[in-house]
Every structure is written in structure tokens, then in C-alpha cells.
Amino acid sequence: MVNYSEEEGLNSSYTYTLSQDLNGFIWIGSDNGLFRFDGKEFKQYNKADGLKNIEVLSCHQLSNGEIFILSFLNDFAYLKDGRIINSDSNKELKKMHFEHNPSIYIHQDAIYMYAPGNPKNMYIYRNGKVNTIPLFINGDGSSHAISFDLSNHLLYLADKSGKKNIEAYDIVTRKKTSCNIPLGKKTMVYRKDSFYIFKSQGKIEIYKLHDKFTFKKIQTYFTNENIQHVFIDKNYGIWLSLENGGALHFKQTLLENTKLSNPVKFLDQYVINSILADHDNNIWFSTQNNGIYFITDKFLKSYMHLPIKNNSAYITAIAGNDSGIFLGYNEAKSGIYRSHTIKDIVFEKNRKIEHKAIFSEGNTVIFGLSRSLIQYNTATKKKYILNASDYNPKNVLPYIRGSVLICSNDGLTAYNYNAHTYSKILQQERIYTALLYDTDSLFVGNFKDLYKMNTRTKKKSLFLEGYYFTDIKKLSHNLYVGATNLNGIILFSNSKILKRITQGSGLLTSQIKKIEVENENVFWASTNSGLSRVEIRGTAIKINNFTQTDGLPSNVVAGCVIKGDTLFAGTSKGLGILSIRNLLSQKKFIHKKVIINSITIGSQEFFNLQQKLTSQTPNNNIVFNLSFPDYASQGKISYKYKIEGLNDTWETSSSSKIILNSLPPGTYTFRVLGLGYNGKQSYTSTNVNFKIEPKFWQTWWFKFLMIILGATALFILITLYFQKKRNKKLENLYYEKKIAELELQAIKAQINPHFIYNCLNSIQFLLYKKDYAETENYLDIFSQMIRKTLHYSEKTFMPIQEEVEYLSLYLNMEKLRLKEQFDYSIHISETVDKSWTIPSLLIQPFVENAIKHGVSALADRKGKIDIRFDYSGLSLCITVEDNGNGISSKDQTIIKSGSFGVKLSQKRIETFKQLFETNIILVIKNLSEQGQEHEQGTQIKIYITPHENQNTSLHH
């Protein structure tokens, strides 16, 4: 059995009632509070947790999940959502008052309580409320309650004197009905459903209740000891706790209509207060001052159905044949198992020398003890002490027919057990194992190497170096299996190693004691951690491990023997007899789920996992408090988990607290599997969803807003930067334009006096000639010219139509002055819009230059001036052409530098280009130098490329 006490966390010297809740937790009432056990850890509830009285008798789970706690003398409490509610927190609990510990009946979410002696009230607790039903029973105190039937609302009462029959009291109608039997004096009653067990001292009587008022006796059983308590487990099994220690258990149950056979006794050295069969039919015992004990269902069945007397010795060697199973103990004593009985053979009394090995063949058995070798005949029961006893035997192994190999610290010896003769094979070397693999060839193993040896020539050769073999067996032709002390199992042939099987391959441990062959593909390995069954499947292997959980008396296995479907295992706690078929039928999964007791998120602990589990950064540390109540694993429990939403990697932890630090905001699913004995896991995962809310600055909308704001701020900064540069540029342009405008105004101011000066010269010339009529006409045209000049000199641009009118006035005035020495023509192309604007007073200086330097000096022909406005699709071209003598490039420079009007016009062109970003090109050509026949004169072309903006409005 497994004992849980103070060392394992059960900090109590006296345990009372055991119970199990719907989640599978074991609850223990004790003199030091209430304990909850999940198979690995004990959780204690005491005064600091809210218990007003830490002497807890029992606790019971109700269907709503509450754990109702009964302490001594009215200190009732209940556990809900991880918190104990006592009578200070809930005043309803103070309504219940008893002079002695009450009797209880539980139904779904309610608990019914009444005093066993002379009950006056029935109290009903449900969902934190207490209702009271008065009981109108004889007030003389002669009655005591023995049981309660809720379905028929009957309270069964017995007379303390034992003279009256049992009465059934209806708590609703208050009517009493007499039953058919009395209850003896000082008799205790135990009930399960319709079965009643009456106990008095060493006797129990079993009854079954029929039609509510008739008790039918089933049988009576007497014990040799006084019975302290009777327990009826969930399978209707009967357990008797004895006053002087121990518990009796019957193979039969109350449901079987058979007579009770002799019971099996458990824990005869301990006084047992409570017995519980859990959901998996494992059995729990609470004791006085010795904690609690646990036995698995498989081991219990093995113990119950294959009872063997004196089967508790420490077995260190085992062998078997058709004559029986031979057991070697850790003393000078052996045993033979036959017909469910072990018969002891004592070699030397009180001598502590252990068995190293046993050989059996027919009626011959050779017991190899650490300091002696004994040959025993099972038929004659004669013992024979071998002379090789001085060798300190390490092993006794089969050899050729009628002989064995004796491995000792002095070498290897062949012994013929029929003729009692010896033959030395190898001397002065410590040998632990050997195996004949050919007619005259042996494998021989010492404490570090394996050799091949020829028994005829005595020559040996190193085969496997660095392996301490403890056992070697042959599986099939040229296939051997060896057990090593530290390197697991070695499969090898006559020439090489074929496969290594270690703990990493699935064995319980790599330290192997013995090998037992089941067939050429299957063998068993005995270890200090249990048994491993290894099956060879081609190049693959399958391993099944078995321990106490599967029914072994102990995990310390010295060896095993196989007979058909039966496995005999020699352990440190006796002989285990198991069915191989049943062992192999073990489930691949544990039919349990991990229980999440609570989840702590940040500073808040959640017990109700059905609610929405959320927290917010920075409270993003998560602690999962887990349990996996698989008691058969005996504490060898771990957990495999992953956090979906964070990663898809499964992690493994042996701790029941899974801690996740600083989870980023998000929605997650925690999945966890329980891992129990032999690596088996729960059949499905336990899942819980939770969420870490971000702070507002971690939300997507805030990040998006920050991106927008950042982009906006960056855009504003860039805009401001470029705006500043643009403003600086515009400021510079503004001042440049101002300067250009002032220059333009200054140029216009110079044009007006220049033009007036030229006109006055012409008038002066007419007056000098005394041509008064022409002078008057000239003055009239001059006055119109002055008005238009003054008008256009204030404007920057003027339409082509008005420019043509202005030029016509000017040319007419000059024709009048020069007595018709030239003719002129002004032509506007159809591609030109007359409303297009051009710089004002730009053409007049060039026309004036053509008259003055071109046509006025002609004597052989009449002068001619042509003015044309053309549009090529890209630029406006204004041409001023005369038929004068023309000018050379040298004369052109002189004329241009000497002509004040042209000079002013060129300045205006440069100013316009700067001020209005308008491209104006001036081209002057001498027609004679261009090689054009019959053409003389000068041609001036002004190209204006309109810049379409509101400042110039050129062309548009």
C-alpha cells in the first residue's frame, strides 16, 4: 500500500472521514482542518481560511458544487468558489444547533441533518439557506434515529431499551408506523439504499428493507474481534473496521445472494476510521495517527482473489518449472509456490545471506546464496551442500544437459548436478553471467566486458567492451538479448551489436537485472522500477511497462517466470501473480481530464471558469492552478500544455502551477493534457479561453490614430518647411518683381520723353520749312499719339488689336513728316487672336528704328515697311521688315548700341522675362547677307512664348 502522511503534506495526526467529489478530489477530515488531495499535492483549509473549528469530521459535495463541512459541535461551514463561508459570514448556519454530532442525508443540492438521539428538528440546508421542520417525537428521550428515507419522508426510530420494534415516523403527516423487528441494545446501524447492517461488538446482521416497514434478514456474520465501524462502499462491498486495528473485506457484495466467505484482512497494525472506494474503485483508508493509505483496484483484486499466506518476504531471486515457482529471499530461506500456497524452506535460521540466483530443472533446484550453494530435490526434499560454496556465487545458469554454470568471484565452473562433479572453465576472474551459444563456445561476462570463450582450448577474445552484463538469453538463431547494469538492453548476434534499448527508447530504466523470454520475439526485463515487456517487430520495437499501478506488489522486481498467460514476479514485497492478457489490455489513455482549480490573472483569482476571463495590461501575468486526480499514478504526474494565440508548441511541466509572464494583449486558448503513470495522457485536453485587453495606447485604433497623427504632423512639418522655402523664394521674387516693375516704369518713363522728343523734332522741322498745313495735321495726329502713349505707358500689356491701331497712328504720322517716302502694311494672320495681349509699347521702337535707319535714307526707291503677326502653334512671331540698305553685323551692333529706343526695348524684354516668366526672343537679320536675291533691308523678329498664367494672360 501507499502511505500518505506528514512527509507528503498531510499535516495531521488524526484523520476522520474520507470522501470524493465530482471532480475526483479526495477530501480528508482531520484534527488539523480539511485537506483536499489531487494525487500529487495536499491543500489544507484551516482557521486562516475561515474554519472556526479545525476539528473537521467530514465534508460532502452538493450538486451545486458546494462542499459542506461538518466540524465538531455546530461549527458548520461550506466551501464555495475557493472561499470558506462560516456562520459569521452566513447567519443562516447558526439556525442549526445540536448537542451531539448530527446524522446527515444528502440529496442533490440539499443536506438534511438531525440529531441521532431524541431528534427534535430536521434541518435542511440548501443554497446558503436553512429551513427547519419540527419533529413531534416522544420527549422522554427513549428514541433515537437510525436512518432517513427522503423519498417516503420517513425517519426510522429505535427504542434505546431494545424492547420495542423500529418505528417509521412520517415527518409530513407526523404518523408513526411500527416495523417488524426491534433494534438490539447498543447496536449500531449502517445503511446503503435498502440494505441495513446492524453491528454489535463482533457480530453483523445484514437486512434488506421491503415495503418501507418490513426488514428481511439476509445473513449473520461473526468475527473474533470487536467491530468499530462498518463501511459499505459504492459497489456495495462490505468493510469492517476493527477496534484493535485492521480492516476486514469480503469478496462478496450486498448485491450477491451468497453467503459471506472468510474476509481478507488489511492494515492489521492500524486503527481505521474511514474507508472509501473512489471513482476508479481504488481503496482509501484513513487511520488514527498514521495518515491515509491507498491501494489500487488492480492490486486489490490480485490480493483478494489470489490470497497467499506468508507472501510478504523480500524476494531477490526467482525460477520456475512444472514442479512449482521457486523463491529466494534476502535471508537463508527459500520458498516453493504451489496451488496458491507458499511453503518455506529454511536453510539456516536467522542468517542474513541473500539469494543471488536459482536454477530449476525437473525435481532439481539449485539455490545460489551469496555464500553457499544448495541443491534441493523437490520430490525427496533432500538438501545437498555444494563444494563450490567457497566461491561466493554470483549466478547459477543452465549449461549442457544435467549441468549448470556457476559464476563466482573466482571464475566460471561447470557443475554436473546428477554426478556431483565439477569442471573449471575459467579461473581467477570475477564472472557474473555466461551463455552457451555453440557446441564448445560461450559468452562470458565480467563486471565490464563480454568475451567469447572456447571451452575446449580455454582461449577467449574480447567481444563487447564496456558493458557490464547481468544476464544473457537466446531469443532465436544467432540472436541474443543481454541485460546490462547501466546501458539498458543489448540485442546482438555472434558478430555485432544489432540494437540498443534504453530508457530513452521507452524502458522504465536503463539498469536491468534479469531477462525472461516469452517467445523468440518477446522478452521481459526486470528492474528496480518495475517490469518492461519488449516485443520485436522487424526493425521496430514495442515496449509496455508495468508497475505497482498494474498490480505488482512492488516496483523492485528481482525477476519473473512465465507460464502460459500467467506472470510470476518476485518483488521486494512478495510474489506477484498477474495475467499477461489483463496487463496488455491496459488503456492507452487515462480516462480523466485536467482540472483547472483557478486562474490568477494579474492580481485577481478566478474560480468560476465559465465567466469571461479578462484582464488588462500591465496585469498580464497568468497563473494556472492545475490538478490531475489520477491516483493510480501515485504522484508521478506532469502536464503538457500550449497557449493557442501565442504559439503552437506543446510544453511539459511537472509543476501544478503553470506561470505565464507578461503576455502581450490578445485572445488566447489554454490547452492542457495530464500525463500520468508510464507516460499515459488524459483522453482529451482541458481548454479555457481568456483575453488580455490592451491599454488604450495599445489598441489598433489608437495606433492607427497615432499613425494618422504622426503622418499629419510629418506632412505639416514638411509642408511648413517647403512653405517656408517657398515663401522665402516668393519673398525674393516679390522684391525682384518690385525692382523689375520699378525698372519697367523707369523704362516707360524714358520712352515717353524719347517719343515726345522725336515728335517735337519732326514738328520743328515742318515749321522750319514753313509747311503750316502739314504742321497742323501733324499736330492733330501727334495729339492722338500723345494720349495713347500716355494711356498705354501705364499698362503692362495691351491687346494686339490696339497695338496695331497705335502703330498705324505712328506710321501715318511719320509718313506725313517724311512726305510719303515709304509705304507700310500691317498683317494679322488668321491663326492669331486679336484679343491676345503682348507687352505694351514693345514694337514701336523697332518700327521707329526701321524708319530712321532703313527707309528714310533711300534715294533710288521708295521705302517699304511690313509688320506681320503670325502664330506657329508654339509662339507668337512679330516681324518688322524694311527694304532699306540693310546693316552688317558690325553696323548692327553700332546701331543697337546707339539707338536709344531699341536699347530700351531690349531692357524691357529682359525685365518681362524675369518678371512674368515669359520667354521673349529678339532676332535681327540683314536680308542682303542672307543670300536672298533681289531683297535688301533689315528684318526684326520678336518671338513670344506665352506662359499661361493669370499674370500675363498671353494668348489667352
Side-chain angles (χ1 to χ4, degrees), residues 825-889:
S825 65
I826 300 175
H827 176 74
I828 302 173
S829 173
E830 292 180 356
T831 59
V832 176
D833 189 342
K834 295 179 180 180
S835 64
W836 287 351
T837 58
I838 60 175
S840 62
L841 304 179
L842 179 63
I843 303 172
Q844 186 272 335
F846 297 103
V847 174
E848 179 185 346
N849 202 57
I851 294 172
K852 182 177 180 181
H853 299 287
V855 299
S856 62
L858 290 176
D860 57 339
R861 61 183 182 276
K862 190 175 183 178
K864 185 178 180 181
I865 296 176
D866 290 325
I867 302 171
R868 294 187 302 274
F869 293 85
D870 295 304
Y871 179 58
S872 65
L874 296 175
S875 62
L876 178 67
C877 180
I878 304 171
T879 304
V880 179
E881 185 178 313
D882 65 71
N883 63 346
N885 294 323
I887 56 174
S888 63
S889 298

Coordinates of all heavy atoms in Angstrom, one line a residue, residues 825-889:
S825 N 2.6 98.3 -94.3 CA 1.5 97.3 -94.3 C 1.6 96.6 -92.9 O 2.6 96.3 -92.4 CB 1.5 96.3 -95.4 OG 2.7 95.5 -95.3
I826 N 0.4 96.3 -92.4 CA 0.3 95.6 -91.1 C -0.6 94.4 -91.4 O -1.8 94.6 -91.8 CB -0.2 96.4 -90.0 CG1 0.7 97.6 -89.7 CG2 -0.4 95.6 -88.7 CD1 0.2 98.6 -88.7
H827 N -0.1 93.2 -91.2 CA -0.9 92.0 -91.5 C -1.0 91.1 -90.2 O 0.0 90.8 -89.6 CB -0.2 91.2 -92.6 CG -0.9 89.9 -92.9 ND1 -2.1 89.8 -93.6 CD2 -0.5 88.6 -92.7 CE1 -2.5 88.6 -93.7 NE2 -1.5 87.8 -93.2
I828 N -2.3 90.7 -90.0 CA -2.5 89.8 -88.8 C -3.0 88.5 -89.3 O -4.0 88.4 -90.0 CB -3.6 90.4 -87.8 CG1 -3.1 91.8 -87.3 CG2 -3.8 89.4 -86.7 CD1 -4.2 92.5 -86.5
S829 N -2.3 87.4 -89.0 CA -2.6 86.0 -89.5 C -3.9 85.6 -88.9 O -4.3 86.0 -87.8 CB -1.5 85.1 -89.2 OG -1.9 83.7 -89.5
E830 N -4.6 84.7 -89.7 CA -5.8 84.2 -89.2 C -5.6 83.3 -88.0 O -6.6 83.0 -87.2 CB -6.5 83.3 -90.3 CG -6.9 84.2 -91.5 CD -7.6 83.3 -92.6 OE1 -7.6 82.0 -92.4 OE2 -8.1 83.8 -93.6
T831 N -4.5 82.8 -87.8 CA -4.2 82.0 -86.6 C -4.0 82.8 -85.3 O -3.8 82.2 -84.2 CB -2.9 81.1 -86.8 OG1 -1.8 82.0 -87.1 CG2 -3.1 80.2 -88.0
V832 N -4.0 84.1 -85.5 CA -3.7 85.0 -84.3 C -5.0 85.6 -83.9 O -5.8 86.1 -84.7 CB -2.7 86.1 -84.7 CG1 -2.6 87.1 -83.5 CG2 -1.4 85.5 -85.1
D833 N -5.3 85.5 -82.6 CA -6.4 86.1 -81.9 C -6.1 87.5 -81.6 O -5.1 87.8 -80.8 CB -6.8 85.3 -80.7 CG -8.2 85.8 -80.1 OD1 -8.6 86.9 -80.5 OD2 -8.8 85.0 -79.3
K834 N -6.9 88.5 -82.1 CA -6.5 89.9 -81.9 C -6.7 90.4 -80.5 O -6.2 91.4 -80.1 CB -7.4 90.8 -82.8 CG -7.2 90.6 -84.3 CD -8.1 91.5 -85.1 CE -7.9 91.2 -86.7 NZ -8.8 92.1 -87.5
S835 N -7.4 89.5 -79.7 CA -7.5 89.9 -78.3 C -6.4 89.5 -77.4 O -6.3 89.8 -76.3 CB -8.8 89.3 -77.8 OG -8.8 87.9 -77.8
W836 N -5.5 88.6 -78.0 CA -4.3 88.3 -77.3 C -3.5 89.5 -76.9 O -3.5 90.5 -77.6 CB -3.4 87.3 -78.1 CG -4.0 85.9 -78.3 CD1 -5.0 85.4 -77.7 CD2 -3.5 85.0 -79.2 NE1 -5.3 84.2 -78.1 CE2 -4.3 83.8 -79.0 CE3 -2.4 84.9 -80.1 CZ2 -4.1 82.6 -79.7 CZ3 -2.2 83.7 -80.8 CH2 -3.1 82.6 -80.6
T837 N -2.9 89.4 -75.7 CA -2.1 90.6 -75.2 C -0.6 90.4 -75.4 O -0.2 89.2 -75.3 CB -2.5 90.9 -73.7 OG1 -2.2 89.7 -73.0 CG2 -3.9 91.2 -73.6
I838 N 0.0 91.5 -75.6 CA 1.5 91.5 -75.7 C 2.0 92.6 -74.8 O 1.3 93.5 -74.5 CB 2.0 91.6 -77.1 CG1 1.5 92.9 -77.7 CG2 1.5 90.4 -78.0 CD1 2.0 93.2 -79.1
P839 N 3.3 92.6 -74.5 CA 3.9 93.8 -73.7 C 3.6 95.1 -74.5 O 3.8 95.2 -75.7 CB 5.3 93.4 -73.6 CG 5.4 91.9 -73.7 CD 4.3 91.6 -74.7
S840 N 3.1 96.1 -73.7 CA 2.8 97.4 -74.3 C 4.0 98.1 -74.8 O 5.1 98.0 -74.2 CB 2.0 98.2 -73.3 OG 2.8 98.5 -72.2
L841 N 3.8 98.8 -75.9 CA 4.9 99.7 -76.5 C 6.2 99.0 -76.8 O 7.2 99.6 -76.7 CB 5.1 100.9 -75.5 CG 3.9 101.8 -75.2 CD1 4.3 102.9 -74.2 CD2 3.2 102.3 -76.4
L842 N 6.1 97.6 -77.1 CA 7.3 96.9 -77.3 C 7.7 97.0 -78.8 O 8.9 97.0 -79.1 CB 7.0 95.4 -76.9 CG 8.2 94.4 -77.2 CD1 9.4 94.8 -76.3 CD2 7.8 93.0 -76.9
I843 N 6.8 97.1 -79.7 CA 7.1 97.1 -81.2 C 7.5 98.5 -81.7 O 8.3 98.6 -82.6 CB 5.9 96.5 -81.9 CG1 5.6 95.1 -81.4 CG2 6.2 96.4 -83.4 CD1 4.3 94.5 -81.9
Q844 N 6.9 99.5 -81.1 CA 7.1 100.9 -81.7 C 8.6 101.3 -81.8 O 9.0 101.8 -82.9 CB 6.3 101.9 -80.8 CG 6.3 103.3 -81.4 CD 7.6 104.1 -80.9 OE1 8.1 103.8 -79.8 NE2 8.0 105.1 -81.6
P845 N 9.4 101.0 -80.9 CA 10.8 101.4 -81.0 C 11.5 100.7 -82.2 O 12.4 101.3 -82.9 CB 11.5 101.0 -79.7 CG 10.4 100.9 -78.7 CD 9.2 100.5 -79.5
F846 N 11.1 99.5 -82.5 CA 11.7 98.8 -83.7 C 11.2 99.3 -85.0 O 11.9 99.4 -86.0 CB 11.4 97.2 -83.6 CG 12.1 96.6 -82.4 CD1 11.3 96.3 -81.3 CD2 13.5 96.4 -82.4 CE1 11.9 95.7 -80.2 CE2 14.0 95.8 -81.2 CZ 13.3 95.5 -80.1
V847 N 9.9 99.7 -85.0 CA 9.4 100.4 -86.2 C 10.0 101.7 -86.4 O 10.4 102.1 -87.6 CB 7.8 100.5 -86.1 CG1 7.3 101.3 -87.3 CG2 7.1 99.2 -86.0
E848 N 10.2 102.4 -85.3 CA 10.9 103.7 -85.4 C 12.3 103.6 -85.9 O 12.8 104.3 -86.8 CB 10.9 104.4 -84.0 CG 11.6 105.7 -84.0 CD 11.8 106.3 -82.6 OE1 11.1 105.8 -81.6 OE2 12.6 107.2 -82.4
N849 N 13.0 102.5 -85.5 CA 14.4 102.3 -86.0 C 14.4 101.9 -87.5 O 15.3 102.3 -88.2 CB 15.0 101.1 -85.1 CG 16.5 101.1 -85.2 OD1 17.1 102.1 -84.8 ND2 17.1 100.0 -85.6
A850 N 13.4 101.2 -87.9 CA 13.3 100.8 -89.4 C 13.1 102.1 -90.2 O 13.6 102.2 -91.3 CB 12.1 99.8 -89.6
I851 N 12.3 103.0 -89.7 CA 12.1 104.3 -90.5 C 13.4 105.1 -90.5 O 13.8 105.6 -91.5 CB 10.9 105.1 -89.8 CG1 9.6 104.3 -90.0 CG2 10.8 106.5 -90.5 CD1 8.5 104.9 -89.2
K852 N 14.0 105.3 -89.3 CA 15.1 106.2 -89.2 C 16.3 105.7 -89.9 O 17.0 106.4 -90.6 CB 15.4 106.4 -87.7 CG 16.5 107.4 -87.4 CD 16.7 107.6 -85.9 CE 17.8 108.6 -85.6 NZ 18.1 108.8 -84.2
H853 N 16.6 104.3 -89.7 CA 17.9 103.8 -90.3 C 17.6 103.0 -91.5 O 18.6 102.6 -92.2 CB 18.5 102.9 -89.2 CG 18.9 103.6 -88.0 ND1 20.0 104.5 -87.9 CD2 18.4 103.6 -86.7 CE1 20.1 105.0 -86.7 NE2 19.1 104.4 -85.9
G854 N 16.4 102.7 -91.9 CA 16.1 101.9 -93.0 C 15.6 102.7 -94.2 O 16.3 102.9 -95.2
V855 N 14.4 103.2 -94.2 CA 13.7 103.7 -95.4 C 13.9 105.2 -95.6 O 13.7 105.8 -96.6 CB 12.2 103.4 -95.4 CG1 12.0 101.9 -95.3 CG2 11.6 104.0 -94.1
S856 N 14.3 106.0 -94.5 CA 14.4 107.5 -94.6 C 15.5 107.9 -95.5 O 15.5 109.0 -96.1 CB 14.5 108.1 -93.2 OG 15.7 107.6 -92.6
A857 N 16.6 107.1 -95.7 CA 17.8 107.5 -96.4 C 17.7 107.0 -97.9 O 18.7 107.1 -98.6 CB 19.0 107.0 -95.7
L858 N 16.6 106.3 -98.3 CA 16.6 105.8 -99.6 C 16.4 106.9 -100.7 O 15.5 107.8 -100.5 CB 15.5 104.8 -99.8 CG 15.7 103.4 -99.0 CD1 14.4 102.6 -99.1 CD2 16.9 102.7 -99.5
A859 N 17.2 106.8 -101.8 CA 17.1 107.8 -102.8 C 16.6 107.2 -104.1 O 16.0 107.8 -105.0 CB 18.4 108.5 -103.0
D860 N 16.9 105.9 -104.3 CA 16.6 105.2 -105.6 C 15.3 104.5 -105.6 O 14.9 104.0 -106.6 CB 17.8 104.3 -106.0 CG 18.0 103.3 -104.9 OD1 17.6 103.5 -103.7 OD2 18.6 102.2 -105.1
R861 N 14.7 104.4 -104.5 CA 13.4 103.7 -104.5 C 12.6 104.1 -103.2 O 13.2 104.7 -102.3 CB 13.7 102.2 -104.4 CG 14.5 101.7 -103.2 CD 14.8 100.2 -103.2 NE 15.5 99.7 -102.0 CZ 16.8 99.8 -101.9 NH1 17.5 100.3 -102.9 NH2 17.4 99.4 -100.8
K862 N 11.4 103.8 -103.3 CA 10.5 104.2 -102.3 C 10.6 103.1 -101.1 O 10.7 101.9 -101.4 CB 9.1 104.3 -102.8 CG 8.1 104.9 -101.7 CD 6.7 105.1 -102.3 CE 5.8 105.8 -101.3 NZ 4.5 106.1 -101.9
G863 N 10.6 103.6 -99.9 CA 10.8 102.7 -98.8 C 9.5 101.9 -98.5 O 8.4 102.3 -98.9
K864 N 9.7 100.8 -97.9 CA 8.5 100.0 -97.6 C 8.8 99.3 -96.2 O 9.9 98.7 -96.0 CB 8.3 98.9 -98.6 CG 7.1 98.0 -98.4 CD 6.9 97.0 -99.6 CE 5.7 96.2 -99.3 NZ 5.5 95.2 -100.4
I865 N 7.7 99.3 -95.4 CA 7.8 98.6 -94.0 C 6.6 97.7 -93.9 O 5.5 98.1 -94.1 CB 7.8 99.7 -92.9 CG1 9.0 100.6 -93.0 CG2 7.7 99.0 -91.5 CD1 9.1 101.7 -91.9
D866 N 7.0 96.4 -93.6 CA 5.9 95.4 -93.4 C 6.0 94.9 -92.0 O 7.0 94.5 -91.4 CB 6.2 94.2 -94.3 CG 5.9 94.5 -95.8 OD1 5.0 95.3 -96.0 OD2 6.7 94.0 -96.7
I867 N 4.8 94.9 -91.4 CA 4.6 94.4 -90.0 C 3.6 93.2 -90.0 O 2.5 93.3 -90.5 CB 4.1 95.5 -89.0 CG1 5.1 96.7 -89.0 CG2 4.0 94.9 -87.6 CD1 4.6 97.9 -88.3
R868 N 4.1 92.0 -89.5 CA 3.2 90.8 -89.5 C 3.1 90.2 -88.1 O 4.1 90.2 -87.4 CB 3.8 89.8 -90.5 CG 3.8 90.3 -91.9 CD 4.2 89.2 -92.9 NE 5.6 88.7 -92.6 CZ 6.7 89.2 -93.1 NH1 6.6 90.3 -93.9 NH2 7.8 88.7 -92.8
F869 N 1.9 89.7 -87.9 CA 1.7 89.0 -86.6 C 1.3 87.5 -87.0 O 0.2 87.3 -87.6 CB 0.5 89.6 -85.8 CG 0.9 91.0 -85.2 CD1 0.7 92.1 -86.0 CD2 1.3 91.1 -83.9 CE1 1.0 93.4 -85.5 CE2 1.7 92.3 -83.4 CZ 1.5 93.5 -84.2
D870 N 2.1 86.6 -86.7 CA 1.9 85.2 -87.0 C 2.0 84.3 -85.7 O 2.7 84.6 -84.8 CB 2.9 84.7 -88.0 CG 2.8 85.4 -89.4 OD1 1.7 85.3 -89.9 OD2 3.8 86.0 -89.8
Y871 N 1.3 83.1 -85.8 CA 1.3 82.2 -84.7 C 1.6 80.8 -85.2 O 0.9 80.3 -86.1 CB -0.1 82.2 -83.9 CG -0.1 81.2 -82.8 CD1 0.8 81.3 -81.7 CD2 -1.0 80.2 -82.8 CE1 0.8 80.4 -80.7 CE2 -1.1 79.3 -81.7 CZ -0.2 79.4 -80.7 OH -0.2 78.5 -79.6
S872 N 2.7 80.2 -84.7 CA 3.1 78.9 -85.3 C 2.6 77.7 -84.5 O 2.9 76.6 -84.8 CB 4.7 78.9 -85.2 OG 5.1 78.9 -83.9
G873 N 1.8 78.0 -83.5 CA 1.4 76.9 -82.6 C 2.2 76.8 -81.4 O 1.7 76.2 -80.4
L874 N 3.4 77.3 -81.4 CA 4.2 77.3 -80.2 C 4.5 78.7 -79.6 O 4.6 78.9 -78.4 CB 5.6 76.6 -80.5 CG 5.5 75.1 -80.9 CD1 6.9 74.6 -81.3 CD2 5.0 74.3 -79.7
S875 N 4.7 79.6 -80.5 CA 5.0 81.0 -80.1 C 4.3 82.0 -81.1 O 4.0 81.7 -82.2 CB 6.5 81.2 -80.0 OG 7.1 81.0 -81.3
L876 N 4.2 83.2 -80.6 CA 3.7 84.3 -81.4 C 4.9 85.0 -82.0 O 5.9 85.4 -81.3 CB 2.9 85.3 -80.5 CG 2.4 86.6 -81.2 CD1 1.4 86.3 -82.3 CD2 1.9 87.5 -80.2
C877 N 4.9 85.2 -83.3 CA 6.1 85.8 -84.0 C 5.6 87.2 -84.6 O 4.7 87.2 -85.4 CB 6.5 84.9 -85.2 SG 7.9 85.6 -86.1
I878 N 6.3 88.2 -84.2 CA 6.0 89.6 -84.7 C 7.2 90.0 -85.6 O 8.4 90.1 -85.1 CB 5.8 90.6 -83.5 CG1 4.7 90.1 -82.6 CG2 5.5 92.0 -84.1 CD1 4.5 90.9 -81.3
T879 N 6.9 90.3 -86.8 CA 8.0 90.6 -87.8 C 7.9 92.1 -88.2 O 6.8 92.6 -88.6 CB 8.0 89.7 -89.0 OG1 8.0 88.4 -88.6 CG2 9.1 90.0 -90.0
V880 N 9.1 92.8 -88.1 CA 9.2 94.2 -88.6 C 10.3 94.2 -89.7 O 11.5 93.9 -89.4 CB 9.5 95.2 -87.5 CG1 9.6 96.6 -88.1 CG2 8.5 95.1 -86.4
E881 N 9.9 94.4 -90.9 CA 10.8 94.3 -92.1 C 10.8 95.5 -92.9 O 9.7 96.0 -93.3 CB 10.5 93.0 -92.9 CG 11.4 92.7 -94.0 CD 11.1 91.4 -94.7 OE1 10.8 90.4 -94.0 OE2 11.1 91.4 -95.9
D882 N 12.0 96.0 -93.3 CA 12.0 97.2 -94.2 C 12.9 96.8 -95.4 O 13.6 95.8 -95.4 CB 12.6 98.4 -93.4 CG 14.1 98.2 -93.0 OD1 14.9 98.2 -93.9 OD2 14.3 98.0 -91.8
N883 N 12.9 97.7 -96.4 CA 13.6 97.4 -97.7 C 14.8 98.4 -97.8 O 15.2 98.7 -98.9 CB 12.7 97.5 -98.9 CG 12.1 98.9 -99.0 OD1 12.2 99.7 -98.1 ND2 11.6 99.2 -100.2
G884 N 15.3 98.8 -96.7 CA 16.5 99.7 -96.7 C 17.7 99.0 -97.2 O 17.7 97.9 -97.7
N885 N 18.8 99.7 -97.0 CA 20.1 99.1 -97.4 C 20.6 97.9 -96.5 O 21.5 97.2 -96.9 CB 21.2 100.2 -97.4 CG 20.9 101.3 -98.5 OD1 20.4 100.9 -99.6 ND2 21.2 102.5 -98.2
G886 N 20.0 97.8 -95.4 CA 20.4 96.7 -94.5 C 21.6 97.1 -93.7 O 22.3 98.1 -94.0
I887 N 22.0 96.3 -92.8 CA 23.1 96.6 -91.9 C 23.9 95.3 -91.8 O 23.4 94.2 -91.8 CB 22.7 97.1 -90.5 CG1 21.7 96.1 -89.9 CG2 22.0 98.4 -90.6 CD1 21.3 96.4 -88.5
S888 N 25.2 95.6 -91.6 CA 26.1 94.4 -91.4 C 26.1 94.1 -89.9 O 25.5 94.9 -89.1 CB 27.6 94.8 -91.8 OG 28.0 95.8 -91.0
S889 N 26.7 93.0 -89.5 CA 26.8 92.7 -88.1 C 27.5 93.7 -87.3 O 27.1 94.1 -86.2 CB 27.5 91.3 -87.9 OG 26.8 90.3 -88.6

